[in-house]
Amino acid sequence: MVMPFYRMRVGKYEYLRIIGGENVSRIPVLFMPAYNRMYNAAVRYNWRTWLISAGFLYARNRNISKSDVPKLPNGSILFIDSGAFQFVDGKYPFTPREYLNIVLTISSLSNASITIFATMDVLPSSVELRRAQRDTVVNTLQIMYEAEKNGIDLSRMPLVAVVHGDTYEDFMEHYDMYRQSGIRIRYLAMGNLRKDEPKDNGAPKFREAVLRACIELKKRGVKWVHLFGPRKGVLEHSVCCADSFDTTTFFQPLVRHGRVYVFHDGRSTYLFSPYRSVSLDRKIEITVYNFIQYTQHLAKLRSQCSGKNIDTK
């Protein structure tokens, strides 16, 4: 039986084995949002992998303090995202140097045993795709320069490159931009994966593009591939290759419309609570519980991937 990731004991730098190592073919790692009610609900289940948006915290309080960052349980792995989705014009309110300082502040205040962080990617929805890809690579180079200048060891706090695209060719072209700039990528995230609309006729092609790109990236030496905000179709289609994901998309119906996520007998749906008196805290707790059940479903799907093209490591 595969032990759920959130119950594992994680030692210092254990991510070298768990994220991008021997266990990667068995466990799809879920990074749960470490915010207020969602954090309070998940921590009851001894959760250990968390996602925090630097842009979200910065927008609320430019001088991020310990009141803004939850103190994570011992042994936690923290993934810090730049929060690109908040800056629709593609312009960050902070420079790469300031972003690096924000990451260090959040990591220090969070009590995380391990911190990884995404580069300052620019969403294609804000500017033309190729420009978004180029600007993301430039931001990555600047972050690496600032880290080297300030003596920050990125082998101990890995920087995660982000690729964007609509097709397999787009994703790989973005990866090639990094390589041509002299950036060696070991940790990578595929961003803006919410395009997989259920009623979109192009959804199957997009899912296949994500999977093909994930497989090819592994062949080219990427150790760990994260999916940013994937819908269920993309996530399940790529479960044999992707190593981790986050819940941004899954929590939107709850946050926007109060619908509770329910997973039962291999099927999932969103339901309005039949009881008006049910508090938001209770709805979040139910959603978190059911989502944990869904991750176990993904683990089962992953366990059936042997010999299918999971990893090429």
Side-chain angles (χ1 to χ4, degrees):
M1 179 178 178
V2 176
M3 180 177 289
F5 184 83
Y6 59 87
R7 291 182 182 170
M8 283 187 154
R9 293 184 177 273
V10 182
K12 192 69 171 173
Y13 309 128
E14 187 81 347
Y15 69 87
L16 289 175
R17 183 173 64 84
I18 292 176
I19 297 180
E22 60 184 297
N23 285 347
V24 126
S25 63
R26 300 190 297 151
I27 305 167
V29 179
L30 162 63
F31 284 92
M32 191 76 79
Y35 302 123
N36 303 328
R37 293 180 172 100
M38 294 179 193
Y39 170 77
N40 292 334
V43 80
R44 295 172 190 167
Y45 295 98
N46 198 28
W47 207 262
R48 289 294 184 271
T49 49
W50 306 96
L51 179 74
I52 289 181
S53 166
F56 176 76
L57 294 186
Y58 187 84
R60 293 197 308 179
N61 181 10
R62 295 201 168 196
N63 297 312
I64 297 172
S65 65
K66 61 181 180 181
S67 63
D68 301 307
V69 182
K71 189 171 182 179
L72 303 178
N74 291 334
S76 290
I77 297 177
L78 174 62
F79 188 4
I80 300 176
D81 176 28
S82 65
F85 62 91
Q86 293 182 253
F87 312 119
V88 293
D89 58 358
K91 297 179 181 178
Y92 283 88
F94 42 74
T95 65
R97 179 179 181 179
E98 291 170 334
Y99 174 55
L100 193 56
N101 288 332
I102 292 170
V103 167
L104 292 172
T105 298
I106 294 174
S107 177
S108 175
L109 294 173
S110 71
N111 189 45
S113 294
I114 301 161
T115 299
I116 56 179
F117 69 107
T119 189
M120 292 170 58
D121 58 313
V122 177
L123 297 184
S125 56
S126 58
V127 296
E128 185 267 333
L129 175 60
R130 293 294 175 257
R131 178 184 167 187
Q133 292 175 331
R134 288 194 298 271
D135 289 351
T136 299
V137 173
V138 170
N139 286 344
T140 304
L141 286 168
Q142 291 178 339
I143 291 171
M144 294 176 68
Y145 169 75
E146 292 295 340
E148 183 177 3
K149 187 170 71 172
N150 291 281
I152 299 170
D153 187 355
L154 293 182
S155 68
R156 297 200 169 198
M157 189 174 72
L159 173 62
V160 180
V162 181
V163 294
H164 287 292
D166 295 315
T167 65
Y168 165 80
E169 289 76 17
D170 290 337
F171 288 120
M172 298 314 302
E173 184 167 340
H174 199 181
Y175 171 81
D176 289 339
M177 286 183 186
Y178 282 106
R179 297 292 293 167
Q180 291 164 8
S181 299
I183 301 174
R184 184 188 177 195
I185 299 176
R186 293 171 65 82
Y187 304 92
L188 181 143
M190 301 180 73
N192 199 27
L193 301 182
R194 304 176 194 176
K195 307 167 197 173
D196 182 35
E197 297 289 348
K199 297 181 181 179
D200 185 354
N201 291 331
K205 289 184 179 179
F206 182 67
R207 294 172 198 168
E208 190 61 27
V210 173
L211 176 60
R212 282 187 61 203
C214 181
I215 294 169
E216 183 61 27
L217 289 166
K218 291 288 187 71
K219 289 180 179 178
R220 297 194 187 188
V222 175
K223 291 181 67 67
W224 174 72
V225 176
H226 178 82
L227 303 183
F228 266 131
R231 292 184 182 274
K232 182 181 175 184
V234 166
L235 178 56
E236 294 191 356
H237 194 71
S238 301
V239 74
C240 289
C241 180
D243 304 309
S244 64
F245 65 103
D246 58 80
T247 62
T248 307
T249 301
F250 289 86
F251 275 105
Q252 283 182 351
L254 174 63
V255 174
R256 294 181 180 178
H257 309 294
R259 289 191 292 173
V260 175
Y261 177 80
V262 177
F263 178 79
H264 178 68
D265 196 25
R267 302 180 66 181
S268 59
T269 187
Y270 290 94
L271 300 174
F272 285 106
S273 172
Y275 305 105
R276 293 187 178 182
S277 60
V278 174
S279 67
L280 179 58
D281 285 343
R282 180 57 178 156
K283 290 179 181 178
I284 290 174
E285 184 179 348
I286 293 170
T287 294
V288 168
Y289 171 79
N290 279 278
F291 204 79
I292 289 173
Q293 302 308 304
Y294 179 60
T295 62
Q296 297 306 295
H297 171 66
L298 292 176
K300 291 179 181 178
L301 292 179
R302 187 79 179 230
S303 69
Q304 299 168 9
C305 292
S306 179
K308 284 188 179 178
N309 84 41
I310 298 182
D311 295 312
T312 53
K313 296 185 287 293

